[in-house]
């Protein structure tokens, strides 16, 4: 955990708190905001890759079922499942990567909101101390 983390996400306990200046806080907010924006095209590509992998899996499975000489549908499906395991793995890996990226985006967005709230409180505190 970095020195700027103030609570553990898994337990909620306060870990460390080192005050930052409003300038440092503003920099962190801008940096996180820009990172979230830059990730949008990458996420879009990940969604595209996920759907491409899913379509490839569906196509390969259908083709394997059509080629199968098994007598029952259950056997045809089993053969198709075995024949398309590489496609299944590719699809699953694409989904895993996409989900991890989306969870990271959520975590970054939550951190950004937290920093914005701290910034707002600091701004109010500075404003109150000037009166």
């Amino acid at each position: 955990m970095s020195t700027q983390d103030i609570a553990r996400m898994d337990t909620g306990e306060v870990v460390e708190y080192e005050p930052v200046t409003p300038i440092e806080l503003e920099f962190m907010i801008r940096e996180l905001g820009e990172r979230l924006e830059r990730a949008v095209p990458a996420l879009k590509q990940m969604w595209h890759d996920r759907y491409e992998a899913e379509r490839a899996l569906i196509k390969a499975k259908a083709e394997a079922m059509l080629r199968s000489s098994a007598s029952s549908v259950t056997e045809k499906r089993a053969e198709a499942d075995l024949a398309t395991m590489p496609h299944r793995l590719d699809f699953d890996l694409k989904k895993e990567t996409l989900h991890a990226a989306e969870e990271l985006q959520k975590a970054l967005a939550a951190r950004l909101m937290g920093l914005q709230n701290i910034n707002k409180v600091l701004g109010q505190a500075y404003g109150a101390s000037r009166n």
Side-chain angles (χ1 to χ4, degrees), residues 15 37 40 53 83:
V15 179
E37 285 180 34
V40 171

Side-chain angles (χ1 to χ4, degrees), residues 50 89-102:
R50 179 236 184 258
L89 177 61
D90 184 49
F91 175 56
D92 289 344
L93 290 174
K94 297 275 193 302
K95 284 192 336 184
E96 183 181 322
T97 301
L98 176 61
H99 290 308
E102 288 178 331

Side-chain angles (χ1 to χ4, degrees), residues 70-108:
S71 57
S72 73
V73 173
T74 303
E75 289 174 325
K76 288 179 184 275
R77 283 189 185 135
E79 279 183 11
D81 284 341
L82 290 173
T84 58
M85 288 305 286
H87 290 282
R88 168 59 65 185
L89 177 61
D90 184 49
F91 175 56
D92 289 344
L93 290 174
K94 297 275 193 302
K95 284 192 336 184
E96 183 181 322
T97 301
L98 176 61
H99 290 308
E102 288 178 331
E103 290 303 313
L104 176 58
Q105 285 295 94
K106 288 179 189 174
L108 290 174

Side-chain angles (χ1 to χ4, degrees), residues 31-72:
E31 194 65 30
L32 271 174
E34 289 172 10
R35 182 174 179 185
L36 288 166
E37 285 180 34
R38 285 191 309 266
V40 171
L43 282 169
K44 183 179 180 200
Q45 183 63 48
M46 286 178 199
W47 273 106
H48 173 78
D49 294 346
R50 179 236 184 258
Y51 284 120
E52 284 291 316
E54 184 177 27
R55 283 189 286 275
L57 172 61
I58 291 167
K59 180 181 179 200
K61 191 169 182 178
E63 289 172 346
M65 284 186 71
L66 290 171
R67 283 191 306 269
S68 174
S69 60
S71 57
S72 73

